[in-house]
Short mmCIF file of all heavy atoms in Angstrom, two decimals:
data_model
loop_
_atom_site.label_atom_id
_atom_site.label_comp_id
_atom_site.label_asym_id
_atom_site.label_seq_id
_atom_site.Cartn_x
_atom_site.Cartn_y
_atom_site.Cartn_z
N MET S 496 -9.52 -21.88 -0.73
CA MET S 496 -8.68 -21.50 -1.85
C MET S 496 -7.78 -20.35 -1.40
O MET S 496 -8.21 -19.48 -0.68
CB MET S 496 -9.57 -21.08 -3.02
CG MET S 496 -8.85 -20.34 -4.11
SD MET S 496 -9.92 -19.97 -5.50
CE MET S 496 -9.34 -21.21 -6.60
N LYS S 497 -6.55 -20.37 -1.85
CA LYS S 497 -5.62 -19.31 -1.53
C LYS S 497 -5.98 -18.06 -2.32
O LYS S 497 -6.40 -18.13 -3.47
CB LYS S 497 -4.19 -19.73 -1.89
CG LYS S 497 -3.71 -20.95 -1.17
CD LYS S 497 -2.87 -20.53 -0.02
CE LYS S 497 -2.29 -21.76 0.63
NZ LYS S 497 -2.09 -21.59 2.02
N ARG S 498 -5.82 -16.90 -1.68
CA ARG S 498 -6.16 -15.63 -2.33
C ARG S 498 -5.31 -15.44 -3.57
O ARG S 498 -5.80 -14.99 -4.62
CB ARG S 498 -5.94 -14.47 -1.37
CG ARG S 498 -6.24 -13.13 -1.98
CD ARG S 498 -5.93 -11.99 -1.04
NE ARG S 498 -6.48 -10.75 -1.51
CZ ARG S 498 -5.85 -9.95 -2.39
NH1 ARG S 498 -4.67 -10.29 -2.85
NH2 ARG S 498 -6.43 -8.83 -2.78
N GLN S 499 -4.05 -15.78 -3.50
CA GLN S 499 -3.14 -15.60 -4.63
C GLN S 499 -3.59 -16.41 -5.83
O GLN S 499 -3.53 -15.93 -6.96
CB GLN S 499 -1.73 -16.03 -4.19
CG GLN S 499 -0.68 -15.79 -5.23
CD GLN S 499 0.71 -16.16 -4.70
OE1 GLN S 499 0.84 -16.65 -3.60
NE2 GLN S 499 1.71 -15.92 -5.52
N ASP S 500 -4.10 -17.62 -5.61
CA ASP S 500 -4.59 -18.45 -6.71
C ASP S 500 -5.84 -17.84 -7.34
O ASP S 500 -5.99 -17.84 -8.57
CB ASP S 500 -4.90 -19.86 -6.24
CG ASP S 500 -3.66 -20.61 -5.78
OD1 ASP S 500 -2.55 -20.25 -6.24
OD2 ASP S 500 -3.79 -21.53 -4.96
N LEU S 501 -6.73 -17.30 -6.50
CA LEU S 501 -7.93 -16.66 -7.02
C LEU S 501 -7.60 -15.42 -7.83
O LEU S 501 -8.14 -15.21 -8.92
CB LEU S 501 -8.90 -16.31 -5.89
CG LEU S 501 -10.19 -15.63 -6.30
CD1 LEU S 501 -11.01 -16.52 -7.22
CD2 LEU S 501 -11.00 -15.23 -5.08
N VAL S 502 -6.68 -14.61 -7.34
CA VAL S 502 -6.29 -13.39 -8.06
C VAL S 502 -5.66 -13.76 -9.39
O VAL S 502 -5.92 -13.13 -10.41
CB VAL S 502 -5.34 -12.53 -7.19
CG1 VAL S 502 -4.69 -11.43 -8.00
CG2 VAL S 502 -6.10 -11.94 -6.01
N ARG S 503 -4.83 -14.80 -9.40
CA ARG S 503 -4.21 -15.26 -10.65
C ARG S 503 -5.28 -15.69 -11.65
O ARG S 503 -5.20 -15.38 -12.84
CB ARG S 503 -3.27 -16.43 -10.34
CG ARG S 503 -1.90 -16.21 -10.92
CD ARG S 503 -0.99 -17.39 -10.68
NE ARG S 503 -0.08 -17.02 -9.61
CZ ARG S 503 0.21 -17.78 -8.59
NH1 ARG S 503 -0.29 -18.98 -8.46
NH2 ARG S 503 1.05 -17.37 -7.66
N HIS S 504 -6.29 -16.42 -11.17
CA HIS S 504 -7.38 -16.88 -12.05
C HIS S 504 -8.16 -15.70 -12.61
O HIS S 504 -8.46 -15.65 -13.81
CB HIS S 504 -8.30 -17.82 -11.29
CG HIS S 504 -9.55 -18.17 -12.03
ND1 HIS S 504 -9.54 -18.99 -13.14
CD2 HIS S 504 -10.84 -17.79 -11.85
CE1 HIS S 504 -10.77 -19.10 -13.59
NE2 HIS S 504 -11.58 -18.38 -12.83
N VAL S 505 -8.50 -14.74 -11.74
CA VAL S 505 -9.27 -13.57 -12.16
C VAL S 505 -8.50 -12.77 -13.20
O VAL S 505 -9.07 -12.37 -14.23
CB VAL S 505 -9.64 -12.71 -10.91
CG1 VAL S 505 -10.13 -11.35 -11.31
CG2 VAL S 505 -10.66 -13.43 -10.06
N GLU S 506 -7.22 -12.56 -12.98
CA GLU S 506 -6.42 -11.78 -13.93
C GLU S 506 -6.20 -12.53 -15.23
O GLU S 506 -6.11 -11.92 -16.31
CB GLU S 506 -5.10 -11.39 -13.29
CG GLU S 506 -5.29 -10.33 -12.21
CD GLU S 506 -3.99 -9.95 -11.51
OE1 GLU S 506 -2.97 -10.65 -11.67
OE2 GLU S 506 -4.03 -8.93 -10.78
N SER S 507 -6.12 -13.86 -15.18
CA SER S 507 -5.93 -14.63 -16.41
C SER S 507 -7.18 -14.61 -17.28
O SER S 507 -7.11 -14.85 -18.49
CB SER S 507 -5.54 -16.07 -16.09
OG SER S 507 -6.64 -16.77 -15.54
N CYS S 508 -8.34 -14.33 -16.68
CA CYS S 508 -9.59 -14.23 -17.43
C CYS S 508 -9.83 -12.83 -17.97
O CYS S 508 -10.90 -12.54 -18.51
CB CYS S 508 -10.76 -14.65 -16.55
SG CYS S 508 -10.76 -16.40 -16.18
N GLY S 509 -8.85 -11.93 -17.82
CA GLY S 509 -8.96 -10.60 -18.42
C GLY S 509 -9.40 -9.51 -17.49
O GLY S 509 -9.53 -8.36 -17.92
N CYS S 510 -9.63 -9.80 -16.23
CA CYS S 510 -10.04 -8.77 -15.27
C CYS S 510 -8.81 -8.00 -14.78
O CYS S 510 -7.70 -8.53 -14.75
CB CYS S 510 -10.76 -9.39 -14.09
SG CYS S 510 -12.25 -10.27 -14.59
N ARG S 511 -9.04 -6.75 -14.41
CA ARG S 511 -7.95 -5.90 -13.96
C ARG S 511 -8.23 -5.33 -12.58
O ARG S 511 -9.39 -5.17 -12.20
CB ARG S 511 -7.78 -4.72 -14.93
CG ARG S 511 -7.22 -5.17 -16.25
CD ARG S 511 -6.90 -3.97 -17.09
NE ARG S 511 -7.72 -4.13 -18.31
CZ ARG S 511 -8.16 -3.12 -19.02
NH1 ARG S 511 -7.93 -1.90 -18.67
NH2 ARG S 511 -8.87 -3.35 -20.10
N LEU S 512 -7.17 -5.02 -11.87
CA LEU S 512 -7.30 -4.37 -10.57
C LEU S 512 -7.82 -2.96 -10.78
O LEU S 512 -7.21 -2.18 -11.52
CB LEU S 512 -5.96 -4.36 -9.85
CG LEU S 512 -5.96 -3.71 -8.46
CD1 LEU S 512 -6.79 -4.52 -7.48
CD2 LEU S 512 -4.53 -3.59 -7.95
N PHE S 513 -8.94 -2.65 -10.16
CA PHE S 513 -9.55 -1.33 -10.33
C PHE S 513 -9.02 -0.36 -9.28
O PHE S 513 -8.59 0.72 -9.59
CB PHE S 513 -11.07 -1.48 -10.23
CG PHE S 513 -11.84 -0.22 -10.46
CD1 PHE S 513 -11.79 0.42 -11.69
CD2 PHE S 513 -12.63 0.32 -9.47
CE1 PHE S 513 -12.51 1.58 -11.92
CE2 PHE S 513 -13.34 1.48 -9.67
CZ PHE S 513 -13.29 2.10 -10.91
N ARG S 514 -9.04 -0.79 -8.00
CA ARG S 514 -8.50 0.02 -6.92
C ARG S 514 -8.30 -0.84 -5.69
O ARG S 514 -8.83 -1.94 -5.60
CB ARG S 514 -9.43 1.19 -6.60
CG ARG S 514 -10.76 0.79 -6.01
CD ARG S 514 -11.62 2.02 -5.68
NE ARG S 514 -12.94 1.62 -5.29
CZ ARG S 514 -13.29 1.28 -4.05
NH1 ARG S 514 -12.40 1.28 -3.09
NH2 ARG S 514 -14.52 0.93 -3.76
N GLU S 515 -7.53 -0.32 -4.77
CA GLU S 515 -7.31 -0.98 -3.49
C GLU S 515 -8.17 -0.27 -2.45
O GLU S 515 -8.12 0.94 -2.33
CB GLU S 515 -5.84 -0.88 -3.08
CG GLU S 515 -4.90 -1.70 -3.93
CD GLU S 515 -5.00 -3.18 -3.67
OE1 GLU S 515 -5.55 -3.60 -2.63
OE2 GLU S 515 -4.53 -3.94 -4.53
N GLY S 516 -8.94 -1.04 -1.73
CA GLY S 516 -9.76 -0.49 -0.66
C GLY S 516 -9.04 -0.71 0.68
O GLY S 516 -7.87 -1.09 0.72
N GLY S 517 -9.74 -0.51 1.77
CA GLY S 517 -9.15 -0.69 3.08
C GLY S 517 -8.83 -2.14 3.38
O GLY S 517 -7.73 -2.47 3.79
N LYS S 518 -9.78 -3.02 3.17
CA LYS S 518 -9.59 -4.43 3.45
C LYS S 518 -9.89 -5.31 2.26
O LYS S 518 -9.95 -6.52 2.37
CB LYS S 518 -10.49 -4.86 4.62
CG LYS S 518 -10.13 -4.16 5.92
CD LYS S 518 -11.02 -4.61 7.04
CE LYS S 518 -10.65 -3.87 8.32
NZ LYS S 518 -11.49 -4.26 9.43
N HIS S 519 -10.12 -4.69 1.08
CA HIS S 519 -10.46 -5.44 -0.14
C HIS S 519 -9.69 -4.87 -1.32
O HIS S 519 -9.27 -3.74 -1.31
CB HIS S 519 -11.96 -5.32 -0.43
CG HIS S 519 -12.84 -5.96 0.58
ND1 HIS S 519 -13.15 -5.37 1.78
CD2 HIS S 519 -13.44 -7.16 0.59
CE1 HIS S 519 -13.92 -6.19 2.46
NE2 HIS S 519 -14.12 -7.29 1.76
N SER S 520 -9.56 -5.68 -2.34
CA SER S 520 -9.08 -5.24 -3.65
C SER S 520 -10.27 -5.33 -4.60
O SER S 520 -10.96 -6.35 -4.63
CB SER S 520 -7.97 -6.16 -4.16
OG SER S 520 -6.90 -6.19 -3.25
N VAL S 521 -10.52 -4.27 -5.33
CA VAL S 521 -11.68 -4.24 -6.23
C VAL S 521 -11.19 -4.54 -7.63
O VAL S 521 -10.29 -3.87 -8.15
CB VAL S 521 -12.39 -2.87 -6.16
CG1 VAL S 521 -13.56 -2.84 -7.12
CG2 VAL S 521 -12.87 -2.60 -4.75
N TYR S 522 -11.79 -5.57 -8.26
CA TYR S 522 -11.42 -5.97 -9.62
C TYR S 522 -12.54 -5.63 -10.57
O TYR S 522 -13.72 -5.63 -10.21
CB TYR S 522 -11.11 -7.47 -9.67
CG TYR S 522 -9.68 -7.74 -9.24
CD1 TYR S 522 -9.35 -7.84 -7.90
CD2 TYR S 522 -8.68 -7.88 -10.18
CE1 TYR S 522 -8.05 -8.07 -7.50
CE2 TYR S 522 -7.38 -8.11 -9.80
CZ TYR S 522 -7.07 -8.20 -8.47
OH TYR S 522 -5.77 -8.41 -8.09
N PHE S 523 -12.18 -5.34 -11.82
CA PHE S 523 -13.09 -4.86 -12.86
C PHE S 523 -12.92 -5.73 -14.10
O PHE S 523 -11.80 -6.03 -14.50
CB PHE S 523 -12.72 -3.39 -13.18
CG PHE S 523 -13.44 -2.82 -14.37
CD1 PHE S 523 -14.78 -2.50 -14.27
CD2 PHE S 523 -12.77 -2.58 -15.55
CE1 PHE S 523 -15.45 -1.96 -15.36
CE2 PHE S 523 -13.44 -2.05 -16.63
CZ PHE S 523 -14.77 -1.73 -16.52
N ASN S 524 -14.05 -6.15 -14.67
CA ASN S 524 -14.05 -6.90 -15.91
C ASN S 524 -14.41 -5.94 -17.03
O ASN S 524 -15.55 -5.49 -17.14
CB ASN S 524 -15.04 -8.07 -15.85
CG ASN S 524 -14.94 -8.97 -17.05
OD1 ASN S 524 -14.28 -8.67 -18.02
ND2 ASN S 524 -15.60 -10.12 -16.96
N PRO S 525 -13.46 -5.59 -17.92
CA PRO S 525 -13.74 -4.61 -18.97
C PRO S 525 -14.70 -5.12 -20.05
O PRO S 525 -15.29 -4.32 -20.75
CB PRO S 525 -12.37 -4.30 -19.57
CG PRO S 525 -11.51 -5.44 -19.19
CD PRO S 525 -12.06 -6.01 -17.93
N VAL S 526 -14.88 -6.43 -20.15
CA VAL S 526 -15.76 -6.99 -21.18
C VAL S 526 -17.21 -6.66 -20.89
O VAL S 526 -17.95 -6.22 -21.77
CB VAL S 526 -15.55 -8.51 -21.29
CG1 VAL S 526 -16.54 -9.13 -22.27
CG2 VAL S 526 -14.13 -8.82 -21.69
N ASN S 527 -17.64 -6.86 -19.62
CA ASN S 527 -19.04 -6.63 -19.29
C ASN S 527 -19.23 -5.55 -18.23
O ASN S 527 -20.33 -5.37 -17.71
CB ASN S 527 -19.70 -7.94 -18.83
CG ASN S 527 -18.94 -8.59 -17.71
OD1 ASN S 527 -18.10 -7.98 -17.08
ND2 ASN S 527 -19.24 -9.84 -17.46
N SER S 528 -18.19 -4.82 -17.90
CA SER S 528 -18.23 -3.68 -16.96
C SER S 528 -18.76 -4.06 -15.58
O SER S 528 -19.48 -3.29 -14.95
CB SER S 528 -19.06 -2.54 -17.53
OG SER S 528 -18.51 -2.11 -18.75
N GLN S 529 -18.38 -5.24 -15.09
CA GLN S 529 -18.79 -5.66 -13.76
C GLN S 529 -17.61 -5.55 -12.81
O GLN S 529 -16.47 -5.78 -13.19
CB GLN S 529 -19.32 -7.09 -13.78
CG GLN S 529 -20.61 -7.23 -14.56
CD GLN S 529 -21.10 -8.66 -14.59
OE1 GLN S 529 -20.31 -9.58 -14.67
NE2 GLN S 529 -22.41 -8.84 -14.54
N THR S 530 -17.90 -5.21 -11.55
CA THR S 530 -16.86 -5.10 -10.53
C THR S 530 -17.24 -5.96 -9.33
O THR S 530 -18.42 -6.24 -9.09
CB THR S 530 -16.67 -3.65 -10.06
OG1 THR S 530 -17.89 -3.20 -9.50
CG2 THR S 530 -16.24 -2.75 -11.19
N THR S 531 -16.22 -6.35 -8.57
CA THR S 531 -16.43 -7.07 -7.33
C THR S 531 -15.20 -6.89 -6.45
O THR S 531 -14.14 -6.53 -6.93
CB THR S 531 -16.73 -8.57 -7.55
OG1 THR S 531 -17.20 -9.12 -6.34
CG2 THR S 531 -15.51 -9.31 -8.02
N ALA S 532 -15.37 -7.14 -5.15
CA ALA S 532 -14.29 -6.99 -4.19
C ALA S 532 -13.76 -8.37 -3.78
O ALA S 532 -14.52 -9.30 -3.60
CB ALA S 532 -14.79 -6.25 -2.96
N ILE S 533 -12.44 -8.45 -3.66
CA ILE S 533 -11.78 -9.66 -3.17
C ILE S 533 -11.13 -9.31 -1.85
O ILE S 533 -10.29 -8.41 -1.79
CB ILE S 533 -10.73 -10.17 -4.17
CG1 ILE S 533 -11.40 -10.53 -5.49
CG2 ILE S 533 -9.98 -11.37 -3.59
CD1 ILE S 533 -10.44 -11.00 -6.56
N PRO S 534 -11.53 -9.97 -0.76
CA PRO S 534 -10.96 -9.64 0.56
C PRO S 534 -9.49 -10.01 0.63
O PRO S 534 -9.01 -10.87 -0.11
CB PRO S 534 -11.80 -10.48 1.53
CG PRO S 534 -12.37 -11.55 0.72
CD PRO S 534 -12.51 -11.04 -0.68
N ARG S 535 -8.77 -9.36 1.54
CA ARG S 535 -7.34 -9.60 1.68
C ARG S 535 -7.06 -10.61 2.80
O ARG S 535 -6.27 -10.35 3.68
CB ARG S 535 -6.62 -8.30 1.98
CG ARG S 535 -6.47 -7.46 0.77
CD ARG S 535 -5.35 -6.46 0.98
NE ARG S 535 -5.56 -5.34 0.10
CZ ARG S 535 -5.88 -4.13 0.50
NH1 ARG S 535 -5.96 -3.86 1.75
NH2 ARG S 535 -6.08 -3.17 -0.38
N HIS S 536 -7.69 -11.76 2.72
CA HIS S 536 -7.40 -12.86 3.65
C HIS S 536 -6.52 -13.85 2.91
O HIS S 536 -6.62 -13.97 1.69
CB HIS S 536 -8.69 -13.57 4.10
CG HIS S 536 -9.66 -12.66 4.75
ND1 HIS S 536 -9.46 -12.11 6.00
CD2 HIS S 536 -10.87 -12.19 4.33
CE1 HIS S 536 -10.50 -11.36 6.31
NE2 HIS S 536 -11.36 -11.38 5.32
N ARG S 537 -5.71 -14.60 3.63
CA ARG S 537 -4.88 -15.61 2.97
C ARG S 537 -5.74 -16.69 2.35
O ARG S 537 -5.48 -17.16 1.25
CB ARG S 537 -3.90 -16.22 3.95
CG ARG S 537 -2.80 -15.29 4.33
CD ARG S 537 -1.85 -15.95 5.27
NE ARG S 537 -0.89 -14.97 5.73
CZ ARG S 537 0.40 -15.12 5.60
NH1 ARG S 537 0.88 -16.19 5.05
NH2 ARG S 537 1.21 -14.18 6.03
N GLU S 538 -6.74 -17.15 3.06
CA GLU S 538 -7.66 -18.18 2.59
C GLU S 538 -9.02 -17.55 2.29
O GLU S 538 -9.52 -16.77 3.08
CB GLU S 538 -7.83 -19.27 3.63
CG GLU S 538 -6.64 -20.18 3.78
CD GLU S 538 -6.47 -21.14 2.62
OE1 GLU S 538 -7.48 -21.57 2.04
OE2 GLU S 538 -5.31 -21.45 2.30
N ILE S 539 -9.58 -17.91 1.15
CA ILE S 539 -10.91 -17.45 0.77
C ILE S 539 -11.80 -18.68 0.62
O ILE S 539 -11.42 -19.64 -0.05
CB ILE S 539 -10.87 -16.62 -0.53
CG1 ILE S 539 -10.06 -15.35 -0.29
CG2 ILE S 539 -12.26 -16.29 -1.02
CD1 ILE S 539 -9.88 -14.49 -1.50
N ASN S 540 -12.95 -18.64 1.25
CA ASN S 540 -13.91 -19.73 1.21
C ASN S 540 -14.27 -20.06 -0.24
O ASN S 540 -14.39 -19.16 -1.08
CB ASN S 540 -15.16 -19.32 2.00
CG ASN S 540 -16.09 -20.45 2.25
OD1 ASN S 540 -16.02 -21.49 1.60
ND2 ASN S 540 -16.98 -20.26 3.19
N ASP S 541 -14.46 -21.34 -0.55
CA ASP S 541 -14.78 -21.75 -1.91
C ASP S 541 -16.09 -21.15 -2.41
O ASP S 541 -16.23 -20.81 -3.58
CB ASP S 541 -14.84 -23.27 -2.02
CG ASP S 541 -13.46 -23.90 -1.89
OD1 ASP S 541 -12.45 -23.21 -2.17
OD2 ASP S 541 -13.39 -25.09 -1.51
N PHE S 542 -17.08 -21.02 -1.50
CA PHE S 542 -18.35 -20.42 -1.90
C PHE S 542 -18.15 -18.96 -2.30
O PHE S 542 -18.72 -18.49 -3.28
CB PHE S 542 -19.37 -20.51 -0.75
CG PHE S 542 -19.77 -21.92 -0.43
CD1 PHE S 542 -19.39 -22.51 0.76
CD2 PHE S 542 -20.53 -22.67 -1.31
CE1 PHE S 542 -19.75 -23.79 1.06
CE2 PHE S 542 -20.89 -23.96 -1.03
CZ PHE S 542 -20.51 -24.54 0.17
N LEU S 543 -17.33 -18.25 -1.54
CA LEU S 543 -17.05 -16.84 -1.86
C LEU S 543 -16.26 -16.73 -3.17
O LEU S 543 -16.53 -15.83 -3.97
CB LEU S 543 -16.29 -16.18 -0.72
CG LEU S 543 -15.92 -14.71 -0.91
CD1 LEU S 543 -17.18 -13.89 -1.13
CD2 LEU S 543 -15.16 -14.20 0.29
N ALA S 544 -15.32 -17.64 -3.41
CA ALA S 544 -14.56 -17.62 -4.65
C ALA S 544 -15.47 -17.82 -5.86
O ALA S 544 -15.32 -17.13 -6.87
CB ALA S 544 -13.48 -18.69 -4.62
N ARG S 545 -16.44 -18.72 -5.74
CA ARG S 545 -17.40 -18.93 -6.83
C ARG S 545 -18.26 -17.70 -7.03
O ARG S 545 -18.57 -17.33 -8.17
CB ARG S 545 -18.25 -20.15 -6.56
CG ARG S 545 -17.52 -21.43 -6.93
CD ARG S 545 -18.40 -22.62 -6.75
NE ARG S 545 -18.23 -22.99 -5.35
CZ ARG S 545 -18.86 -23.96 -4.75
NH1 ARG S 545 -19.76 -24.65 -5.38
NH2 ARG S 545 -18.62 -24.26 -3.49
N LYS S 546 -18.69 -17.06 -5.95
CA LYS S 546 -19.52 -15.86 -6.07
C LYS S 546 -18.75 -14.72 -6.74
O LYS S 546 -19.28 -13.99 -7.56
CB LYS S 546 -20.03 -15.40 -4.71
CG LYS S 546 -20.96 -14.20 -4.83
CD LYS S 546 -21.30 -13.62 -3.50
CE LYS S 546 -22.22 -12.46 -3.59
NZ LYS S 546 -21.88 -11.47 -4.61
N ILE S 547 -17.47 -14.57 -6.39
CA ILE S 547 -16.64 -13.54 -7.00
C ILE S 547 -16.57 -13.76 -8.51
O ILE S 547 -16.70 -12.82 -9.29
CB ILE S 547 -15.24 -13.53 -6.35
CG1 ILE S 547 -15.34 -12.96 -4.93
CG2 ILE S 547 -14.26 -12.72 -7.17
CD1 ILE S 547 -14.11 -13.15 -4.08
N CYS S 548 -16.37 -15.00 -8.91
CA CYS S 548 -16.30 -15.30 -10.35
C CYS S 548 -17.63 -15.05 -11.03
O CYS S 548 -17.67 -14.52 -12.15
CB CYS S 548 -15.85 -16.74 -10.56
SG CYS S 548 -14.14 -17.02 -10.09
N ARG S 549 -18.73 -15.41 -10.38
CA ARG S 549 -20.06 -15.15 -10.96
C ARG S 549 -20.29 -13.65 -11.08
O ARG S 549 -20.87 -13.20 -12.08
CB ARG S 549 -21.15 -15.76 -10.09
CG ARG S 549 -21.52 -17.15 -10.54
CD ARG S 549 -22.70 -17.69 -9.76
NE ARG S 549 -22.16 -18.31 -8.56
CZ ARG S 549 -22.63 -18.15 -7.32
NH1 ARG S 549 -23.67 -17.40 -7.12
NH2 ARG S 549 -22.07 -18.74 -6.30
N ASP S 550 -19.88 -12.87 -10.07
CA ASP S 550 -20.06 -11.42 -10.11
C ASP S 550 -19.29 -10.79 -11.27
O ASP S 550 -19.74 -9.80 -11.84
CB ASP S 550 -19.61 -10.78 -8.80
CG ASP S 550 -20.56 -11.06 -7.65
OD1 ASP S 550 -21.68 -11.56 -7.91
OD2 ASP S 550 -20.18 -10.82 -6.49
N LEU S 551 -18.13 -11.34 -11.59
CA LEU S 551 -17.32 -10.81 -12.67
C LEU S 551 -17.70 -11.38 -14.03
O LEU S 551 -17.26 -10.89 -15.07
CB LEU S 551 -15.83 -11.08 -12.42
CG LEU S 551 -15.20 -10.26 -11.29
CD1 LEU S 551 -13.81 -10.78 -10.99
CD2 LEU S 551 -15.17 -8.80 -11.65
N GLY S 552 -18.52 -12.45 -14.04
CA GLY S 552 -18.95 -13.05 -15.30
C GLY S 552 -17.86 -13.89 -15.94
O GLY S 552 -17.75 -13.94 -17.17
N ILE S 553 -17.04 -14.56 -15.12
CA ILE S 553 -15.96 -15.42 -15.63
C ILE S 553 -16.20 -16.83 -15.16
O ILE S 553 -16.97 -17.06 -14.22
CB ILE S 553 -14.57 -14.91 -15.18
CG1 ILE S 553 -14.45 -14.90 -13.66
CG2 ILE S 553 -14.28 -13.54 -15.75
CD1 ILE S 553 -13.07 -14.57 -13.13
N PRO S 554 -15.56 -17.84 -15.79
CA PRO S 554 -15.75 -19.22 -15.32
C PRO S 554 -15.19 -19.44 -13.93
O PRO S 554 -14.23 -18.77 -13.52
CB PRO S 554 -14.98 -20.06 -16.36
CG PRO S 554 -14.15 -19.12 -17.12
CD PRO S 554 -14.71 -17.76 -16.96
N GLU S 555 -15.78 -20.37 -13.20
CA GLU S 555 -15.34 -20.67 -11.85
C GLU S 555 -14.04 -21.44 -11.88
O GLU S 555 -13.81 -22.22 -12.80
CB GLU S 555 -16.43 -21.47 -11.12
CG GLU S 555 -17.71 -20.71 -10.97
CD GLU S 555 -18.83 -21.53 -10.36
OE1 GLU S 555 -18.60 -22.70 -10.04
OE2 GLU S 555 -19.93 -20.99 -10.22
N PRO S 556 -13.18 -21.27 -10.87
CA PRO S 556 -11.90 -22.00 -10.85
C PRO S 556 -12.08 -23.47 -10.55
O PRO S 556 -13.02 -23.88 -9.95
CB PRO S 556 -11.12 -21.31 -9.73
CG PRO S 556 -12.13 -20.65 -8.88
CD PRO S 556 -13.31 -20.38 -9.74
#
């Protein structure tokens, strides 16, 4: 999955960018106060994309 598509999905579910790290972007879900990191690779493995969504408590893409 493309990183841009995952970020679009995460933001459409109400999550916000919390901060930029060295090699990751940290996103925050204000509904349940959960955070997770999204790596800055062009391609993100589908398993990792599902885990990111589970960590934020949003539906999988």
Side-chain angles (χ1 to χ4, degrees):
M496 165 176 257
K497 300 261 185 211
R498 180 184 192 274
Q499 185 176 3
D500 294 336
L501 179 62
V502 168
R503 231 182 256 134
H504 171 71
V505 166
E506 289 178 347
S507 71
C508 290
C510 299
R511 289 187 239 151
L512 180 66
F513 183 63
R514 67 179 172 86
E515 291 286 343
K518 296 181 181 179
H519 294 80
S520 302
V521 178
Y522 277 83
F523 172 72
N524 187 349
V526 175
N527 54 16
S528 301
Q529 293 179 324
T530 61
T531 192
I533 299 178
R535 284 201 204 112
H536 302 290
R537 287 182 187 236
E538 287 287 328
I539 295 177
N540 191 343
D541 290 336
F542 294 111
L543 180 58
R545 279 184 273 177
K546 184 189 181 314
I547 289 168
C548 292
R549 267 186 273 134
D550 288 348
L551 289 171
I553 60 174
E555 297 175 1

